[in-house]
Amino acid sequence: MAEIKRLYRSSGDKMIAGVCAGIAEYFVLDPTLVRIGYILLCVLTFFTALAAYLILWIVIPLRKDPYP
């Protein structure tokens, strides 16, 4: 059976809440690229993407172990 891939906030590689690092782990990307992309998204949407970050912070569970 294949292992089910789950989205978690990172507890080891986080800057604020670990949302961007968790998304990077899920999609196997560099966390820095995801963070830069998020900053660009915030600027282009006049910081309305900040609300999405706050919602994801609440909804996505924190990974218990620091590294997958």
Side-chain angles (χ1 to χ4, degrees):
M1 289 183 106
E3 183 179 335
I4 297 175
K5 198 172 185 183
R6 306 255 344 215
L7 177 62
Y8 291 102
R9 288 185 293 128
S10 177
S11 61
D13 186 22
K14 64 181 181 177
M15 292 286 185
I16 298 174
V19 174
C20 290
I23 291 171
E25 288 174 6
Y26 185 80
F27 290 109
V28 190
L29 298 170
D30 184 20
T32 304
L33 293 176
V34 175
R35 290 176 184 127
I36 291 171
Y38 176 73
I39 291 170
L40 289 174
L41 183 66
C42 273
V43 170
L44 293 175
T45 61
F46 302 107
F47 296 97
T48 54
L50 186 60
Y53 188 89
L54 294 174
I55 291 169
L56 291 174
W57 187 351
I58 294 168
V59 173
I60 299 175
L62 182 65
R63 179 182 297 280
K64 301 295 182 201
D65 54 338
Y67 298 102

